[in-house]
Amino acid sequence: MVERVLLASPRGYCAGVERAVETVELALEHYGPPVYVRKQIVHNIHVVRDLEARGAIFVDSEEEAPTGATIVYSAHGVAPSVNAASASLGHNVVDATCPLVTKVHVQARRYAAAGYTVVLIGHGGHEEVVGTMGEAPEATVLVQDVAEAEALELPKGAKVAYITQTTLSVDETAEIIGVLRRRFPEIHAPKKEDICYATSNRQWAVKEMLDEIDLLLVIGSRNSSNSNRLVEVARALGVEAYLVDDESEIDEAWLDGPRIVGITSGASAPEKLVVRVCDWFRERGIDDISPYQLVQEDVTFRLPVELRRELELAESQSV
């Protein structure tokens, strides 16, 4: 019988997600609907539905947006070929790629230009990985796990460097890097690790509370990489965990044994979903709901330069 609910901190929106969502909202306000968005702006179905209701149209490819349309690129980044296609269609592009993803793209280009084979640690098919590999496809090889790192064959004497997707498991990635370093002792590493501060912090917050809880609920969508990693972190350390989009997906059978339930949310899940899950517990008579630790994140990112200039221009003309 559940007696208590503990809230992990930090949780929820990161600076890159906040910036991306705000970018679409301001673009709708400034240009008026429809504003096209390439892929899900962030991996959360609730956020996507809210923006659709305001006039955003989500498309799988930039080629689905009409000639001359305003199109926002998602937080996960795009390959250079996408920019080229948008340019040929005369799109008004607003690039909401997270600055931390952009940093990985820049590293990929620099390493490739310097003659390195670039090993990208990440999940095949994830939008961020597709975009990063598009920077230097002929020079980039994808490694998804320890087994692939062990099996990687490169020409003798090849210059090797690695980069990583920003939303990976910190522990699993460290294992893969360990294998690459052992097999390729001269391998070059990014100056600062690529896994983003928010992904690391949310995994750390879950680990901190695991000794205190019997079950973890992670609020996030199925296609959210960092949310899935939070579930894996808990399970790897022996605590059962489930990923739910919202309170409607909680199975009451999960709560038969646990006394203390932990709640966290992925970096693309809005806090209102946490509030809804807490209310779900309150409706069942569980009033002891409190933060496990209170940790504040103070990272912020400026709006995309294209939108910032437009808004500043509009403001100066209205004065």
Side-chain angles (χ1 to χ4, degrees):
M1 173 68 185
V2 177
E3 297 167 12
R4 192 168 179 221
V5 171
L6 291 178
L7 304 175
S9 174
R11 63 178 177 273
Y13 270 12
C14 62
V17 164
E18 212 157 297
R19 171 184 186 262
V21 174
E22 189 184 358
T23 295
V24 179
E25 290 170 344
L26 288 171
L28 283 164
E29 221 172 272
H30 181 67
Y31 300 110
V35 164
Y36 290 80
V37 183
R38 188 185 181 279
K39 305 287 188 183
Q40 290 191 354
I41 185 69
V42 296
H43 285 158
N44 187 273
I45 193 62
H46 290 277
V47 173
V48 168
R49 283 183 193 144
D50 284 354
L51 292 171
E52 277 177 337
R54 298 186 198 194
I57 296 175
F58 289 85
V59 291
D60 269 336
S61 162
E62 63 289 350
E63 287 165 2
E64 292 173 47
T67 302
T70 293
I71 187 166
V72 179
Y73 293 161
S74 81
H76 310 102
V78 300
S81 57
V82 172
N83 274 306
S86 266
S88 71
L89 288 163
H91 287 157
N92 173 29
V93 172
V94 181
D95 187 354
T97 301
C98 172
L100 299 178
V101 174
T102 300
K103 176 177 86 78
V104 179
H105 279 231
V106 170
Q107 285 171 177
R109 285 200 301 272
R110 284 185 182 155
Y111 280 139
Y116 285 87
T117 294
V118 183
V119 178
L120 171 58
I121 302 169
H123 298 290
H126 188 279
E127 280 149 45
E128 184 187 326
V129 165
V130 172
T132 304
M133 290 195 79
E135 290 290 352
E138 68 298 326
T140 309
V141 290
L142 180 66
V143 165
Q144 301 185 80
D145 53 32
V146 165
E148 288 188 8
E150 289 285 9
L152 181 63
E153 293 294 335
L154 294 175
K156 199 167 171 54
K159 295 200 301 181
V160 191
Y162 75 81
I163 55 177
T164 82
Q165 185 180 334
T166 61
T167 53
L168 299 177
S169 154
V170 174
D171 295 338
E172 202 179 322
T173 305
E175 258 187 87
I176 295 169
I177 291 168
V179 172
L180 292 173
R181 285 189 187 284
R182 171 170 53 74
R183 297 200 55 227
F184 309 101
E186 304 296 310
I187 196 165
H188 269 242
K191 282 194 178 70
K192 189 173 177 289
E193 71 164 35
D194 294 332
I195 295 176
C196 88
Y197 78 94
T199 298
S200 305
N201 287 354
R202 277 147 194 70
Q203 289 175 25
W204 166 81
V206 162
K207 285 179 186 173
E208 286 285 296
M209 75 190 300
L210 287 179
D211 284 346
E212 309 290 325
I213 63 174
D214 308 305
L215 172 78
L216 179 72
L217 295 180
V218 178
I219 302 167
S221 289
R222 298 283 174 279
N223 60 340
S224 165
S225 174
N226 76 87
S227 300
N228 280 291
R229 302 298 78 78
L230 294 172
V231 172
E232 288 169 9
V233 162
R235 288 180 178 169
L237 293 167
V239 173
E240 190 51 270
Y242 297 99
L243 181 65
V244 295
D245 246 317
D246 54 41
E247 74 287 354
S248 70
E249 293 190 353
I250 300 172
D251 183 342
E252 300 208 31
W254 299 340
L255 309 176
D256 280 351
R259 204 170 56 80
I260 302 176
V261 174
I263 293 174
T264 189
S265 51
S268 43
E271 184 63 13
K272 66 181 180 183
L273 298 178
V274 176
V275 171
R276 280 168 48 175
V277 168
C278 290
D279 288 344
W280 185 93
F281 278 99
R282 287 192 186 95
E283 284 164 15
R284 284 151 184 78
I286 298 142
D287 290 318
D288 188 353
I289 299 175
S290 56
Y292 173 63
Q293 287 178 339
L294 215 47
V295 179
Q296 298 296 335
E297 285 176 336
D298 57 0
V299 179
T300 55
F301 295 134
R302 297 177 79 192
L303 287 167
V305 64
E306 312 92 346
L307 186 60
R308 211 164 60 231
R309 282 190 195 132
E310 285 269 345
L311 295 174
E312 283 164 4
L313 183 63
E315 199 177 323
S316 67
Q317 287 171 346
S318 68
V319 172

